[in-house]
Amino acid sequence: MIAADEVNGKILYQDTDHMFIWLGADPESASGVVQTNQYLIIDKGRGVLLDPGGIHLFARVVAVASRYIALDKIDAIFFSHQDPNVSSGIALWLGVTSAKIYVSSLWLRFLPHFGIVDQSRMVGIEEFGNTFKFGSGALLRFLPAHFLHSTGNYSAFDERSGILFSGDIGAAVFPAGKEQLFIDDFTAALPFIEPFHKRYMASNKVTSLWVRQVRELKPRLIAAQHGGVYRGDAVSAFLDWLGKLTCGIDTIESIYK
Ligand SMILES: [Fe+2]
């Protein structure tokens, strides 16, 4: 269960200049909607939002984010990919912040279908480059995560906190009432992780490539957009499992049976 004092967010990392914050639980998760997580990084008083979510979450995420930072100090919004649960709030966010949107170039012409979007505020990561620099000099690294599951997809590694935001990778679908913020016991959580990855992730070729680059970063936590935040031994246990997983087109005969 998500603890009562965690519903309105929890600071996952903090030093004098830099914070990484989980923005709380979606109350609808209790009614069978997949739990979604939003995150906010604050560095030198300026903010970056990670996958702030769809339209139905907007009011709650605004309320929780505002407890930590004024909305006009949010400079950037990262979308791991184009799914509506990640990005359908884009027009609302552009309206209440002056932030630029960082997303795979593959989706620049698709996201405006979620509302009126000023294209001059859209930044294609492929053209921008693989690092975003915060005011303190700390770096947010955009890691290729294409085909996991989206064709144009990125994870984001916050070097200073050692936290990897993995988007849909690592997603867990907990039963109603069993939601948890942290995943400490990977084996116990696996039944809620495996079905999604076996069907949505493209193939072992891609999962193993992603795992290889993530291992080099040695993340302290892996924060997914659905489900929980991997910590302790669960981080390496998850990477070991994902690197060997057969999924997607590896199992195409069973999908087309
Ligand atoms: Fe997705």
Side-chain angles (χ1 to χ4, degrees):
M1 286 288 287
I2 303 287
D5 64 345
E6 293 171 345
V7 170
N8 288 318
K10 187 176 181 72
I11 297 169
L12 301 179
Y13 173 86
Q14 183 169 26
D15 65 33
T16 49
D17 288 335
H18 198 88
M19 294 168 89
F20 193 112
I21 305 156
W22 172 71
L23 292 179
D26 174 4
E28 289 189 46
S29 61
S31 61
V33 175
V34 173
Q35 177 190 336
T36 60
N37 301 306
Q38 302 77 41
Y39 302 92
L40 169 67
I41 301 172
I42 301 176
D43 183 281
K44 288 270 186 190
R46 308 297 300 187
V48 175
L49 278 168
L50 307 177
D51 280 2
I55 291 165
H56 72 293
L57 291 179
F58 177 74
R60 187 187 65 79
V61 178
V62 163
V64 181
S66 299
R67 291 163 53 120
Y68 297 96
I69 193 169
L71 296 181
D72 62 0
K73 292 185 174 159
I74 295 174
D75 293 330
I77 298 174
F78 168 77
F79 287 139
S80 59
H81 63 298
Q82 85 295 358
D83 272 351
N85 60 330
V86 168
S87 57
S88 66
I90 181 172
L92 298 170
W93 283 108
L94 286 173
V96 298
T97 70
S98 52
K100 291 199 164 174
I101 304 284
Y102 294 79
V103 66
S104 168
S105 306
L106 270 67
W107 304 123
L108 292 178
R109 286 182 290 174
F110 287 77
L111 290 183
H113 289 279
F114 288 134
I116 298 167
V117 168
D118 175 358
Q119 285 285 349
S120 71
R121 290 169 63 188
M122 304 279 289
V123 181
I125 292 172
E126 284 83 346
E127 288 76 44
F128 174 76
N130 59 6
T131 50
F132 175 92
K133 197 171 189 180
F134 293 106
S136 70
L139 296 178
L140 184 67
R141 278 189 191 282
F142 301 129
L143 297 185
H146 308 305
F147 297 97
L148 297 171
H149 63 93
S150 173
T151 43
N153 194 38
Y154 283 90
S155 304
F157 182 60
D158 180 37
E159 284 194 343
R160 184 135 169 179
S161 66
I163 300 175
L164 174 69
F165 173 66
S166 58
D168 278 351
I169 304 166
V173 184
F174 296 117
K178 292 260 173 17
E179 298 85 3
Q180 52 190 274
L181 171 53
F182 290 109
I183 295 175
D184 294 307
D185 182 342
F186 176 71
T187 306
L190 186 57
F192 312 119
I193 296 167
E194 187 159 41
F196 172 78
H197 290 77
K198 282 198 89 70
R199 182 64 174 82
Y200 280 73
M201 300 301 165
S203 75
N204 179 262
K205 173 94 180 174
V206 206
T207 60
S208 58
L209 282 172
W210 186 85
V211 165
R212 192 169 76 192
Q213 62 179 353
V214 169
R215 277 192 206 288
E216 288 174 14
L217 300 173
K218 298 185 172 58
R220 195 172 63 80
L221 301 175
I222 296 180
Q225 200 235 341
H226 304 289
V229 175
Y230 297 77
R231 69 177 174 185
D233 293 343
V235 171
S236 55
F238 167 64
L239 294 175
D240 289 346
W241 170 81
L242 186 64
K244 293 181 194 138
L245 181 70
T246 54
C247 54
I249 59 171
D250 303 326
T251 59
I252 197 68
E253 283 83 4
S254 68
I255 294 170
Y256 271 74
K257 68 179 180 285

